[in-house]
Amino acid sequence: MAEEATKGGVIVPESVLKKQKRAEEWEEAKKKEIDEKRVKNAENRKLIFSRAKVYANEYDEQEKELVRLKRETKFKGGFYVEPEAKLLFIIRIRGLVDCFDCLIDWCIDYGLGLMID
């Protein structure tokens, strides 16, 4: 094995030097990766907050519209009926071979979405 005299005249094996160099490279790569991840997370956080602000504004507008409609119908002497919630159940059943007929009939009876692959 080749040995080099470094670090104050102490003989350090080449394998140890290679290991130290490799560890330094890995450490630099890790720091770079962490910095990139930090920047990416900061951008994502800004995007998430901007979306949340938009959603909050939408909900505020919906509430204001609801109050306006209630006041308008009360002023006209009528009754305001709130719209029903929009909710959709979707059951995905993979394959016809494994699908039982009674399950399909049950989904159809209850008006549930049925998508068969």
Side-chain angles (χ1 to χ4, degrees):
M1 287 205 146
E3 296 180 353
E4 296 183 13
T6 57
K7 295 189 179 182
V10 178
I11 298 175
V12 180
E14 186 178 347
S15 61
V16 173
L17 295 175
K18 286 182 178 180
K19 184 176 180 181
Q20 289 174 350
K21 184 178 178 184
R22 186 175 61 238
E24 289 173 1
E25 290 174 357
W26 286 350
E27 187 177 340
E28 289 175 11
K30 187 77 168 176
K31 285 182 181 179
K32 185 178 179 183
E33 182 181 328
I34 289 171
D35 290 339
E36 290 174 355
K37 195 171 187 179
R38 186 176 295 134
V39 170
K40 185 178 177 183
N41 286 345
E43 292 174 1
N44 285 344
R45 202 175 313 118
K46 288 179 185 178
L47 180 65
I48 288 169
F49 280 119
S50 65
R51 285 182 183 171
K53 194 178 289 186
V54 169
Y55 294 147
N57 289 339
E58 285 181 14
Y59 287 120
D60 288 342
E61 289 175 8
Q62 286 179 357
E63 288 180 12
K64 289 177 184 177
E65 181 70 15
L66 183 65
V67 170
R68 187 189 66 77
L69 290 173
K70 286 182 179 180
R71 287 178 181 167
E72 184 178 321
T73 53
K74 188 175 181 181
F75 178 73
K76 291 181 179 179
F79 295 99
Y80 180 74
V81 178
E82 294 185 18
E84 294 182 11
K86 297 177 185 176
L87 184 63
L88 177 65
F89 289 100
I90 298 176
I91 299 174
R92 183 168 184 235
I93 302 170
R94 296 191 58 148
L96 286 173
V97 176
D98 296 329
C99 185
F100 298 106
D101 292 333
C102 61
L103 180 62
I104 294 174
D105 293 338
W106 181 82
C107 290
I108 293 171
D109 289 343
Y110 288 99
L112 300 175
L114 183 65
M115 183 175 72
I116 300 174
D117 287 345

